[in-house]
Amino acid sequence: REGVLAMLGELREEMKGVLQEASWMSEQSRTVALDKLGGMLFEVGGPSQNKELGFTAGGSWFQDSVMMAQGLCSRQIQRMGTVLARDDWGGELGAMSVNAFYNVHANALFVPEALLRPPFLQKPSQDKKAGAGSASMSPSDFGALGGLLGHEMTHGFDNVGRLFTPALIIKNWWDASTVGAYKERAECIGEHYASYSVQGHHVSGNLTLGEDLADMGGLHLAYRAMLHHRRSRGGTTGTHLARAAKQEFFTAWAGTWCELATKQDAAQSIRTDPHAPARTRVNAALSWFPP
């Protein structure tokens, strides 16, 4: 857990650098964006209290799934109109969920326990140079888990996340010139993803834009964080970064999106899923990535 919190801290520092380097942002917008980034909450592991299922499991997988869905729906209805704590994990995400999540309404990033193991996270090695108790993350850790966490962090500034202020209200806090520059760049990314197709159907760049921005941002942040992590521990970086380390990072990134899908499911997903197809998520992001 501490190692993942440290990784999140490194990713936040890289996002801070990206915002500071963004020449298209006005100083006013940059200041507020940095404030929002600094206030982003990190929750790792799982909720402090496990929720009761509300039924006794033991039927078929389908029956138990239906009962769980009914219980979830009932709890969500009961929560309507209530004010939730920022660290509330909600009804769907728990320690056993193999996924991370950014809550745009709380500016909070949740990392379940299930992600803190292979293939997302290898067993961290203890770094003697960095001091006792300091875990050293491998390039594959940054490529897999780091890319995923960077993805969620970027959601705080995607085409939806950017609408929310640090105070968690929807307000036009970007000045007109910054908004125009952002939309121009986002449109380019949408067009880039729309050039990919599956079974003759092109990706809808508008439908998948938020996830595409997060994928490209997450990959960029994770790579920067890996370089800084290695540099701080005496490793080679930049053009001198070992070829094996680069291969390890990018292979882990690509492996995150490995999946098998039927032709019917793939055809349906490209029309309805806000995520681009898995192969596109890998190739589209990497084709625009300048290592």
Side-chain angles (χ1 to χ4, degrees):
R1 182 178 183 275
E2 295 304 317
V4 174
L5 285 171
M7 177 185 282
L8 284 164
E10 292 181 74
L11 291 167
R12 177 163 22 208
E13 282 300 307
E14 297 308 324
M15 174 66 90
K16 179 180 179 181
V18 169
L19 291 173
Q20 291 173 331
E21 295 163 12
S23 60
W24 51 271
M25 292 191 80
S26 69
E27 288 305 317
Q28 176 185 352
S29 298
R30 190 192 328 277
T31 298
V32 183
L34 289 170
D35 184 26
K36 180 177 181 178
L37 175 64
M40 188 177 291
L41 176 69
F42 300 145
E43 283 288 311
V44 179
S48 57
Q49 293 183 339
N50 292 322
K51 297 179 176 63
E52 296 293 333
L53 287 176
F55 71 96
T56 301
S60 68
W61 178 88
F62 177 76
Q63 290 172 327
D64 287 347
S65 297
V66 170
M67 293 296 290
M68 288 186 67
Q70 289 176 339
L72 172 61
C73 183
S74 177
R75 288 192 295 272
Q76 288 177 329
I77 292 174
Q78 293 173 4
R79 287 152 60 98
M80 290 178 64
T82 63
V83 178
L84 303 178
R86 287 185 66 198
D87 61 356
D88 189 286
W89 283 69
E92 296 184 41
L93 196 67
M96 294 182 291
S97 302
V98 187
N99 195 12
F101 176 72
Y102 173 77
N103 184 348
V104 70
H105 300 286
N107 191 28
L109 200 164
F110 298 85
V111 188
E113 177 70 26
L115 284 179
L116 312 187
R117 60 198 68 248
F120 293 97
L121 181 65
Q122 307 302 319
K123 183 178 180 181
S125 60
Q126 295 302 310
D127 195 322
K128 296 180 180 179
K129 292 183 179 180
S134 178
S136 179
M137 299 291 186
S138 69
S140 66
D141 292 331
F142 280 96
L145 183 60
L148 183 58
L149 301 185
H151 169 107
E152 299 302 337
M153 189 175 293
T154 304
H155 271 314
F157 304 90
D158 68 11
N159 55 325
V160 174
R162 74 168 188 84
L163 302 176
F164 289 78
T165 71
L168 310 179
I169 59 176
I170 298 179
K171 181 181 178 181
N172 188 18
W173 55 277
W174 298 49
D175 63 271
S177 63
T178 301
V179 171
Y182 181 96
K183 289 184 175 180
E184 180 182 358
R185 286 160 174 76
E187 184 178 345
C188 287
I189 292 176
E191 292 175 352
H192 173 60
Y193 276 77
S195 68
Y196 289 81
S197 62
V198 173
Q199 299 181 25
H201 299 284
H202 280 272
V203 173
S204 173
N206 289 328
L207 174 64
T208 64
L209 182 59
E211 297 297 334
D212 300 339
L213 292 170
D215 279 349
M216 297 189 78
L219 176 64
H220 187 61
L221 292 178
Y223 190 80
R224 287 176 58 129
M226 180 194 68
L227 295 181
H228 184 270
H229 188 84
R230 288 176 59 86
R231 187 183 301 115
S232 66
R233 286 158 174 76
T236 54
T237 58
T239 56
H240 302 292
L241 182 63
R243 179 183 177 87
K246 285 186 177 181
Q247 290 177 330
E248 188 178 338
F249 175 88
F250 291 117
T251 300
W253 159 262
T256 302
W257 310 117
C258 283
E259 69 173 21
L260 291 175
T262 64
K263 290 183 178 180
Q264 294 85 348
D265 181 66
Q268 176 72 11
S269 294
I270 202 169
R271 295 184 179 93
T272 60
D273 195 338
H275 302 83
R279 183 181 294 271
T280 300
R281 297 183 74 171
V282 175
N283 294 337
L286 289 177
S287 67
W288 269 16
F289 183 76

